[in-house]
Amino acid sequence: GMAMAPDLAMRTRFASVDVLRGWAVVAMLLVNYPGSWEHVYAPLQHARWNGFTPTDLIFPAFLFVVGVSIALGLRPGTPPAKIGLRALRLVLLGLALHALAMWAYDTPAFRPWGVLQRIGICYAAAALVALRLDGRGQWAIIIGLLLGYWVLLAPGGYEPLVNLASRIDAWMLGPHAYRFDADSGLGHDPEGLASTLPAVAGTLIGVRAGVWLRERGLRFLILMGLAMLALGGAWSLLI
C-alpha cells in the first residue's frame, strides 16, 4: 500500500511494538529472578559461549525495539541535545543503580558498564543516525559496524576472555569489569566498549524494521526477517 503521511505515521501506535517491548521486559524479569539459581531450566540460562539460548535474545530484542521506537516516534528536526539528554538520563540511572548494588551487596569494585548504559548509548547513536541519514546511509552504517567489528576481532580470534573485545574491557576496567581475574589479567564485560558497536547496528536494524512496519507492511517485514535470519545463520559459520 501507499506510505502514510509523516504526521499520520507519527500518530499511529502499533500494538505489536508494545507487545514485543512488554515481552522483553517480562523475559528479563523471568531470567533474572528464576526462583532458585540451583535449579534453572536450560533455556533460561545464557549459552556458555557459542550459539544462543532464548535468554541471549532478550537484550538484543530490547535494543531492536528501541530502534523501532526511534523510527516510529522520533520527529524530524528533533534537537540532538534533546536526544543526548534522554540518553544521559539512562546512563546516569544505570550508574546510580550499580552504585546502589555495590553498597547493598558490598561488592569490591564499581562496574561502570551495564544494561541501561548500553541502552542509552545505543539510543543516542541510532537516533542521531536516523535523524541525519536516509535509509541508504543507515544501511551503510549498519554494514560498516558489523563488518568492522568482524575485521577487528578476526585476527585475535573469538575465544572467550582472549578476544580483542574482552582484552579491551580488561585493559580499560580491570577489576571494574563484569568478570576479571587478577592473576591472569583476563576479563570481560558483556556491555563493554567494543561490543557496543554491533549493538548499535542491531538498534539501527530496528530503525529500518520500524520504517518497514510503517511504510511497507507486515508481508515485507516478514520476508526481510526471514532473509536476515538466513544471512545471520550463514554468517555465524564464519564467526
Side-chain angles (χ1 to χ4, degrees):
M2 295 179 62
M4 288 185 283
D7 289 342
L8 179 60
M10 289 297 179
R11 292 198 300 268
T12 303
R13 188 167 192 97
F14 291 88
S16 57
V17 179
D18 289 328
V19 169
L20 183 55
R21 185 187 292 116
W23 272 112
V25 173
V26 168
M28 283 183 193
L29 292 172
L30 181 62
V31 301
N32 283 320
Y33 302 99
S36 169
W37 289 107
E38 282 72 39
H39 305 282
V40 182
Y41 290 111
L44 300 183
Q45 293 180 314
H46 287 286
R48 289 187 178 274
W49 190 249
N50 292 319
F52 62 88
T53 71
T55 299
D56 296 305
L57 301 179
I58 297 168
F59 191 29
F62 195 90
L63 290 175
F64 175 85
V65 176
V66 170
V68 175
S69 301
I70 289 169
L72 300 179
L74 186 69
R75 294 182 178 277
T78 300
K82 187 175 183 180
I83 293 170
L85 196 59
R86 287 176 179 171
L88 182 62
R89 283 201 293 262
L90 284 168
V91 171
L92 291 176
L93 184 58
L95 292 171
L97 285 173
H98 279 189
L100 184 63
M102 184 181 178
W103 170 78
Y105 298 105
D106 195 26
T107 54
F110 176 77
R111 180 183 171 219
W113 290 110
V115 168
L116 283 175
Q117 293 89 314
R118 173 162 287 186
I119 293 172
I121 292 168
C122 289
Y123 164 75
L128 290 172
V129 168
L131 201 61
R132 298 297 175 88
L133 298 178
D134 60 8
R136 184 174 296 179
Q138 291 170 26
W139 276 117
I141 297 292
I142 291 167
I143 294 169
L145 285 170
L146 293 178
L147 289 179
Y149 188 67
W150 182 35
V151 169
L152 194 68
L153 263 61
Y158 308 103
E159 291 301 313
L161 299 177
V162 298
N163 63 67
L164 184 60
S166 292
R167 288 187 177 278
I168 290 173
D169 295 337
W171 171 73
M172 283 184 62
L173 303 172
H176 298 280
Y178 183 76
R179 291 177 60 190
F180 183 72
D181 178 56
D183 293 332
S184 65
L186 298 178
H188 175 72
D189 199 300
E191 282 81 45
L193 180 65
S195 61
T196 302
L197 297 175
V200 171
T203 310
L204 283 170
I205 290 173
V207 172
R208 298 316 307 157
V211 173
W212 297 333
L213 178 64
R214 190 181 67 219
E215 298 180 358
R216 304 294 291 271
L218 184 60
R219 180 177 295 180
F220 185 82
L221 191 68
I222 290 172
L223 288 174
M224 289 301 294
L226 291 173
M228 294 177 81
L229 278 170
L231 183 62
W235 198 21
S236 72
L237 300 176
L238 298 175
I239 305 182

mmCIF file with all atom_site columns, all heavy atoms in Angstrom, residues 63-75:
data_model
loop_
_atom_site.group_PDB
_atom_site.id
_atom_site.type_symbol
_atom_site.label_atom_id
_atom_site.label_alt_id
_atom_site.label_comp_id
_atom_site.label_asym_id
_atom_site.label_entity_id
_atom_site.label_seq_id
_atom_site.pdbx_PDB_ins_code
_atom_site.Cartn_x
_atom_site.Cartn_y
_atom_site.Cartn_z
_atom_site.occupancy
_atom_site.B_iso_or_equiv
_atom_site.pdbx_formal_charge
_atom_site.auth_seq_id
_atom_site.auth_comp_id
_atom_site.auth_asym_id
_atom_site.auth_atom_id
_atom_site.pdbx_PDB_model_num
ATOM 1  N N   . LEU A 1 63 ? 16.946 -3.868 22.459 1.00 0.00 ? 63 LEU A N   1
ATOM 2  C CA  . LEU A 1 63 ? 17.625 -2.820 21.687 1.00 0.00 ? 63 LEU A CA  1
ATOM 3  C C   . LEU A 1 63 ? 16.982 -2.670 20.311 1.00 0.00 ? 63 LEU A C   1
ATOM 4  O O   . LEU A 1 63 ? 16.861 -1.555 19.787 1.00 0.00 ? 63 LEU A O   1
ATOM 5  C CB  . LEU A 1 63 ? 19.107 -3.146 21.543 1.00 0.00 ? 63 LEU A CB  1
ATOM 6  C CG  . LEU A 1 63 ? 19.942 -3.029 22.820 1.00 0.00 ? 63 LEU A CG  1
ATOM 7  C CD1 . LEU A 1 63 ? 21.372 -3.489 22.563 1.00 0.00 ? 63 LEU A CD1 1
ATOM 8  C CD2 . LEU A 1 63 ? 19.937 -1.596 23.350 1.00 0.00 ? 63 LEU A CD2 1
ATOM 9  N N   . PHE A 1 64 ? 16.561 -3.783 19.726 1.00 0.00 ? 64 PHE A N   1
ATOM 10 C CA  . PHE A 1 64 ? 15.843 -3.750 18.458 1.00 0.00 ? 64 PHE A CA  1
ATOM 11 C C   . PHE A 1 64 ? 14.567 -2.906 18.589 1.00 0.00 ? 64 PHE A C   1
ATOM 12 O O   . PHE A 1 64 ? 14.266 -2.069 17.731 1.00 0.00 ? 64 PHE A O   1
ATOM 13 C CB  . PHE A 1 64 ? 15.520 -5.180 18.039 1.00 0.00 ? 64 PHE A CB  1
ATOM 14 C CG  . PHE A 1 64 ? 14.681 -5.308 16.798 1.00 0.00 ? 64 PHE A CG  1
ATOM 15 C CD1 . PHE A 1 64 ? 15.258 -5.285 15.547 1.00 0.00 ? 64 PHE A CD1 1
ATOM 16 C CD2 . PHE A 1 64 ? 13.312 -5.472 16.901 1.00 0.00 ? 64 PHE A CD2 1
ATOM 17 C CE1 . PHE A 1 64 ? 14.484 -5.424 14.401 1.00 0.00 ? 64 PHE A CE1 1
ATOM 18 C CE2 . PHE A 1 64 ? 12.533 -5.604 15.765 1.00 0.00 ? 64 PHE A CE2 1
ATOM 19 C CZ  . PHE A 1 64 ? 13.116 -5.583 14.518 1.00 0.00 ? 64 PHE A CZ  1
ATOM 20 N N   . VAL A 1 65 ? 13.828 -3.111 19.685 1.00 0.00 ? 65 VAL A N   1
ATOM 21 C CA  . VAL A 1 65 ? 12.589 -2.346 19.911 1.00 0.00 ? 65 VAL A CA  1
ATOM 22 C C   . VAL A 1 65 ? 12.899 -0.863 20.117 1.00 0.00 ? 65 VAL A C   1
ATOM 23 O O   . VAL A 1 65 ? 12.129 -0.001 19.717 1.00 0.00 ? 65 VAL A O   1
ATOM 24 C CB  . VAL A 1 65 ? 11.805 -2.910 21.114 1.00 0.00 ? 65 VAL A CB  1
ATOM 25 C CG1 . VAL A 1 65 ? 10.590 -2.066 21.415 1.00 0.00 ? 65 VAL A CG1 1
ATOM 26 C CG2 . VAL A 1 65 ? 11.373 -4.327 20.834 1.00 0.00 ? 65 VAL A CG2 1
ATOM 27 N N   . VAL A 1 66 ? 14.038 -0.565 20.756 1.00 0.00 ? 66 VAL A N   1
ATOM 28 C CA  . VAL A 1 66 ? 14.456 0.834  20.876 1.00 0.00 ? 66 VAL A CA  1
ATOM 29 C C   . VAL A 1 66 ? 14.580 1.450  19.485 1.00 0.00 ? 66 VAL A C   1
ATOM 30 O O   . VAL A 1 66 ? 14.115 2.565  19.228 1.00 0.00 ? 66 VAL A O   1
ATOM 31 C CB  . VAL A 1 66 ? 15.791 0.944  21.641 1.00 0.00 ? 66 VAL A CB  1
ATOM 32 C CG1 . VAL A 1 66 ? 16.356 2.366  21.544 1.00 0.00 ? 66 VAL A CG1 1
ATOM 33 C CG2 . VAL A 1 66 ? 15.609 0.560  23.100 1.00 0.00 ? 66 VAL A CG2 1
ATOM 34 N N   . GLY A 1 67 ? 15.183 0.696  18.559 1.00 0.00 ? 67 GLY A N   1
ATOM 35 C CA  . GLY A 1 67 ? 15.317 1.182  17.196 1.00 0.00 ? 67 GLY A CA  1
ATOM 36 C C   . GLY A 1 67 ? 13.969 1.366  16.510 1.00 0.00 ? 67 GLY A C   1
ATOM 37 O O   . GLY A 1 67 ? 13.734 2.381  15.839 1.00 0.00 ? 67 GLY A O   1
ATOM 38 N N   . VAL A 1 68 ? 13.087 0.395  16.674 1.00 0.00 ? 68 VAL A N   1
ATOM 39 C CA  . VAL A 1 68 ? 11.739 0.514  16.094 1.00 0.00 ? 68 VAL A CA  1
ATOM 40 C C   . VAL A 1 68 ? 11.042 1.765  16.630 1.00 0.00 ? 68 VAL A C   1
ATOM 41 O O   . VAL A 1 68 ? 10.412 2.521  15.881 1.00 0.00 ? 68 VAL A O   1
ATOM 42 C CB  . VAL A 1 68 ? 10.904 -0.744 16.399 1.00 0.00 ? 68 VAL A CB  1
ATOM 43 C CG1 . VAL A 1 68 ? 9.465  -0.566 15.914 1.00 0.00 ? 68 VAL A CG1 1
ATOM 44 C CG2 . VAL A 1 68 ? 11.517 -1.978 15.761 1.00 0.00 ? 68 VAL A CG2 1
ATOM 45 N N   . SER A 1 69 ? 11.172 2.000  17.932 1.00 0.00 ? 69 SER A N   1
ATOM 46 C CA  . SER A 1 69 ? 10.537 3.163  18.561 1.00 0.00 ? 69 SER A CA  1
ATOM 47 C C   . SER A 1 69 ? 11.107 4.468  18.020 1.00 0.00 ? 69 SER A C   1
ATOM 48 O O   . SER A 1 69 ? 10.387 5.470  17.891 1.00 0.00 ? 69 SER A O   1
ATOM 49 C CB  . SER A 1 69 ? 10.724 3.099  20.082 1.00 0.00 ? 69 SER A CB  1
ATOM 50 O OG  . SER A 1 69 ? 10.160 1.910  20.605 1.00 0.00 ? 69 SER A OG  1
ATOM 51 N N   . ILE A 1 70 ? 12.415 4.474  17.707 1.00 0.00 ? 70 ILE A N   1
ATOM 52 C CA  . ILE A 1 70 ? 13.025 5.663  17.101 1.00 0.00 ? 70 ILE A CA  1
ATOM 53 C C   . ILE A 1 70 ? 12.370 5.940  15.752 1.00 0.00 ? 70 ILE A C   1
ATOM 54 O O   . ILE A 1 70 ? 11.987 7.077  15.442 1.00 0.00 ? 70 ILE A O   1
ATOM 55 C CB  . ILE A 1 70 ? 14.548 5.470  16.935 1.00 0.00 ? 70 ILE A CB  1
ATOM 56 C CG1 . ILE A 1 70 ? 15.234 5.496  18.306 1.00 0.00 ? 70 ILE A CG1 1
ATOM 57 C CG2 . ILE A 1 70 ? 15.143 6.545  16.025 1.00 0.00 ? 70 ILE A CG2 1
ATOM 58 C CD1 . ILE A 1 70 ? 16.688 5.049  18.268 1.00 0.00 ? 70 ILE A CD1 1
ATOM 59 N N   . ALA A 1 71 ? 12.213 4.888  14.934 1.00 0.00 ? 71 ALA A N   1
ATOM 60 C CA  . ALA A 1 71 ? 11.620 5.060  13.603 1.00 0.00 ? 71 ALA A CA  1
ATOM 61 C C   . ALA A 1 71 ? 10.188 5.563  13.686 1.00 0.00 ? 71 ALA A C   1
ATOM 62 O O   . ALA A 1 71 ? 9.748  6.361  12.856 1.00 0.00 ? 71 ALA A O   1
ATOM 63 C CB  . ALA A 1 71 ? 11.677 3.740  12.842 1.00 0.00 ? 71 ALA A CB  1
ATOM 64 N N   . LEU A 1 72 ? 9.439  5.083  14.692 1.00 0.00 ? 72 LEU A N   1
ATOM 65 C CA  . LEU A 1 72 ? 8.023  5.438  14.791 1.00 0.00 ? 72 LEU A CA  1
ATOM 66 C C   . LEU A 1 72 ? 7.771  6.721  15.562 1.00 0.00 ? 72 LEU A C   1
ATOM 67 O O   . LEU A 1 72 ? 6.755  7.372  15.359 1.00 0.00 ? 72 LEU A O   1
ATOM 68 C CB  . LEU A 1 72 ? 7.254  4.291  15.464 1.00 0.00 ? 72 LEU A CB  1
ATOM 69 C CG  . LEU A 1 72 ? 7.290  2.939  14.754 1.00 0.00 ? 72 LEU A CG  1
ATOM 70 C CD1 . LEU A 1 72 ? 6.502  1.904  15.549 1.00 0.00 ? 72 LEU A CD1 1
ATOM 71 C CD2 . LEU A 1 72 ? 6.746  3.043  13.340 1.00 0.00 ? 72 LEU A CD2 1
ATOM 72 N N   . GLY A 1 73 ? 8.697  7.101  16.451 1.00 0.00 ? 73 GLY A N   1
ATOM 73 C CA  . GLY A 1 73 ? 8.398  8.211  17.355 1.00 0.00 ? 73 GLY A CA  1
ATOM 74 C C   . GLY A 1 73 ? 9.298  9.419  17.258 1.00 0.00 ? 73 GLY A C   1
ATOM 75 O O   . GLY A 1 73 ? 8.944  10.478 17.772 1.00 0.00 ? 73 GLY A O   1
ATOM 76 N N   . LEU A 1 74 ? 10.465 9.296  16.609 1.00 0.00 ? 74 LEU A N   1
ATOM 77 C CA  . LEU A 1 74 ? 11.382 10.434 16.539 1.00 0.00 ? 74 LEU A CA  1
ATOM 78 C C   . LEU A 1 74 ? 10.920 11.397 15.452 1.00 0.00 ? 74 LEU A C   1
ATOM 79 O O   . LEU A 1 74 ? 10.830 11.027 14.286 1.00 0.00 ? 74 LEU A O   1
ATOM 80 C CB  . LEU A 1 74 ? 12.811 9.952  16.244 1.00 0.00 ? 74 LEU A CB  1
ATOM 81 C CG  . LEU A 1 74 ? 13.897 11.027 16.275 1.00 0.00 ? 74 LEU A CG  1
ATOM 82 C CD1 . LEU A 1 74 ? 14.121 11.527 17.705 1.00 0.00 ? 74 LEU A CD1 1
ATOM 83 C CD2 . LEU A 1 74 ? 15.208 10.478 15.707 1.00 0.00 ? 74 LEU A CD2 1
ATOM 84 N N   . ARG A 1 75 ? 10.655 12.614 15.844 1.00 0.00 ? 75 ARG A N   1
ATOM 85 C CA  . ARG A 1 75 ? 10.171 13.602 14.882 1.00 0.00 ? 75 ARG A CA  1
ATOM 86 C C   . ARG A 1 75 ? 11.333 14.253 14.145 1.00 0.00 ? 75 ARG A C   1
ATOM 87 O O   . ARG A 1 75 ? 12.346 14.570 14.761 1.00 0.00 ? 75 ARG A O   1
ATOM 88 C CB  . ARG A 1 75 ? 9.342  14.683 15.593 1.00 0.00 ? 75 ARG A CB  1
ATOM 89 C CG  . ARG A 1 75 ? 8.052  14.154 16.200 1.00 0.00 ? 75 ARG A CG  1
ATOM 90 C CD  . ARG A 1 75 ? 7.230  15.256 16.844 1.00 0.00 ? 75 ARG A CD  1
ATOM 91 N NE  . ARG A 1 75 ? 5.981  14.724 17.369 1.00 0.00 ? 75 ARG A NE  1
ATOM 92 C CZ  . ARG A 1 75 ? 4.885  14.518 16.641 1.00 0.00 ? 75 ARG A CZ  1
ATOM 93 N NH1 . ARG A 1 75 ? 4.896  14.785 15.347 1.00 0.00 ? 75 ARG A NH1 1
ATOM 94 N NH2 . ARG A 1 75 ? 3.795  14.042 17.197 1.00 0.00 ? 75 ARG A NH2 1
#
